[in-house]
Amino acid sequence: MTPEDYMRMAIEKCREGVEKGQAPFAAVIVKDGRVIASGHNTVWQDNDPTAHGEMNAIRAACKALATIDLEGSDIYSVGEPCPMCFSACHWAKLRKVYYGITIEDARELGFQELTISNARMKEEGGSPLKVEGPFLREECLEVARLWKSLHGDRTY
Amino acid sequence: MTPEDYMRMAIEKCREGVEKGQAPFAAVIVKDGRVIASGHNTVWQDNDPTAHGEMNAIRAACKALATIDLEGSDIYSVGEPCPMCFSACHWAKLRKVYYGITIEDARELGFQELTISNARMKEEGGSPLKVEGPFLREECLEVARLWKSLHGDRTY
C-alpha cells in the first residue's frame, strides 16, 4: 500500500459522507502499514461543529489503540486540516499529515475557514508534525465537486 | 450574574475535574444570561486527546440547543483556548471568549501547547470571535497550582 492508496481510501470515505449529505471531508489514520481508523465529517449528522473528518478519525484511532498518543501514525485527509484539526493532530502526536485540497479550496466551496495554512500553524506553533500537500489534489477536488453539485448550497 | 461569576463557575468545574485527576481546564457557555453548558477536560478520562474543556462545553451546548450555531453565546474558559479550541469556538460561531491563564502559563504547567495566542489566531485567521483575557488570572492560577501539587507529574 502506498500513500496514494491511503489517500484514495480517504476519498472513498469522503464519498460515503457526501452520499449521506455530509460535508466533503474525511481522513484515514495509518500506523505501520495498517489502517487504524477512518472518519468522514459528521457535523450535520451529529449536530456537532467539532465533528470534522480528522477529529472523528483521531478519536476513533485513540479508541482503537486505547491511547491518547498516536506517535508513529500518519493521517491522510481529503482537505488540509483546519487549525482545529491541525492542532488535534499535534495533540495526538501524529507523525505526518498528507492532505489533498487546500484550506483556500475549502473556502471557495463556501466554508468559513480560518485562513491559516498548516505550514503557518507548524512554523508559528512550533509543532514537530510533518506536512505534505497538496497531495492527489485533483482526485480530492473531484469528490468536492460532487458534493458541490449535490448539496453545495449548505455550508457552515 | 457578571462575567466574574461565570468565570468562577468555570473555575469550580475545573476543580471538579482536578479532583478526578483530570487536566486543569474547564469552560462554561452562556447565552442571554443563561448557562447553556459546561465541561472540564476529560482527555485521560475519555482517552481522547480532543476532549479539552472548551470542546466538551461546545459539544454539550450544541446538544442542549440542538444547533451547530452558538451565535450570541460567550465562553468562559479557565485557560486561553489552544488553537484547536479557539478554532472550535470560531466554527461554533461563539461571540466572545473570556480566558483566565494564558497559553504560556499552560506551557509552564508542562502541556505541549502550540505557541499561538488567541490574538494571533484571530488576526491571522480572520475570525470575528472577540477575545478578553487574561481575566481573573490569579484565581485561575490557583486551581492550576492545586492540580500541579496533586497530579503535576502527568501531562501531555
Side-chain angles (χ1 to χ4, degrees):
Chain A
M1 296 277 281
T2 65
E4 285 79 3
D5 294 327
Y6 296 125
M7 185 60 95
R8 287 183 184 123
M9 289 180 68
I11 293 171
E12 278 320 296
K13 193 73 188 173
C14 186
R15 193 183 310 275
E16 198 184 292
V18 167
E19 283 165 0
K20 295 183 204 157
Q22 299 303 299
F25 305 106
V28 165
I29 293 176
V30 177
K31 184 173 189 176
D32 300 329
R34 190 176 135 231
V35 174
I36 305 300
S38 67
H40 64 67
N41 182 300
T42 55
V43 166
W44 290 306
Q45 179 184 306
D46 293 342
N47 201 39
D48 178 356
T50 75
H52 289 195
E54 301 93 318
M55 304 293 280
N56 289 341
I58 289 169
R59 300 177 77 207
C62 288
K63 195 167 180 181
L65 299 183
T67 178
I68 59 167
D69 186 345
L70 299 176
E71 205 184 332
S73 301
D74 299 328
I75 187 166
Y76 296 81
S77 177
V78 168
E80 181 177 4
C82 79
M84 174 177 75
C85 295
F86 178 91
S87 306
C89 292
H90 167 84
W91 283 120
K93 299 185 171 55
L94 285 163
R95 181 172 58 187
K96 184 168 178 178
V97 51
Y98 293 82
Y99 69 81
I101 68 172
T102 65
I103 286 176
E104 268 314 306
D105 291 328
R107 274 178 69 87
E108 280 175 26
L109 291 172
F111 294 95
Q112 305 299 307
E113 298 279 348
L114 289 162
T115 54
I116 314 181
S117 69
N118 283 197
R120 287 294 295 157
M121 289 295 296
K122 175 180 167 62
E123 183 192 332
E124 203 164 331
S127 179
L129 185 61
K130 293 177 190 167
V131 177
E132 185 167 335
F135 181 78
L136 297 193
R137 177 168 173 269
E138 277 308 315
E139 291 178 46
C140 292
L141 267 179
E142 205 176 293
V143 69
R145 288 192 193 112
L146 170 68
W147 168 82
K148 188 83 179 167
S149 70
L150 292 172
H151 319 288
D153 50 335
R154 190 187 191 205
T155 59
Y156 52 75
Chain B
M1 296 279 279
T2 65
E4 285 79 3
D5 294 327
Y6 296 126
M7 185 59 94
R8 287 183 183 123
M9 289 180 67
I11 293 171
E12 277 320 296
K13 192 75 188 172
C14 187
R15 192 182 311 273
E16 198 184 292
V18 168
E19 283 165 2
K20 294 183 205 155
Q22 300 303 299
F25 306 106
V28 164
I29 294 177
V30 177
K31 185 173 189 177
D32 300 330
R34 192 176 133 232
V35 175
I36 305 300
S38 67
H40 64 67
N41 182 299
T42 55
V43 166
W44 290 306
Q45 179 183 307
D46 293 343
N47 201 39
D48 177 356
T50 75
H52 289 195
E54 302 93 317
M55 303 294 279
N56 289 341
I58 289 169
R59 300 178 76 206
C62 288
K63 196 167 179 181
L65 300 182
T67 178
I68 59 167
D69 185 346
L70 299 177
E71 205 185 331
S73 300
D74 299 328
I75 187 165
Y76 296 82
S77 178
V78 167
E80 181 176 4
C82 78
M84 174 177 74
C85 295
F86 178 91
S87 307
C89 293
H90 168 85
W91 283 120
K93 299 185 171 56
L94 285 163
R95 181 172 58 186
K96 184 168 178 177
V97 52
Y98 293 82
Y99 69 81
I101 68 172
T102 65
I103 285 175
E104 268 314 305
D105 291 327
R107 274 178 69 88
E108 280 175 26
L109 291 171
F111 295 95
Q112 304 299 309
E113 298 279 348
L114 291 162
T115 53
I116 314 181
S117 70
N118 282 197
R120 288 294 296 158
M121 288 296 297
K122 175 180 166 61
E123 183 192 332
E124 203 164 330
S127 180
L129 185 60
K130 293 176 190 167
V131 178
E132 185 168 335
F135 181 77
L136 297 193
R137 176 169 173 270
E138 276 308 314
E139 290 178 48
C140 292
L141 268 178
E142 205 176 292
V143 69
R145 287 192 195 110
L146 171 67
W147 168 81
K148 189 83 180 169
S149 70
L150 293 173
H151 318 289
D153 50 334
R154 189 188 190 204
T155 58
Y156 53 75

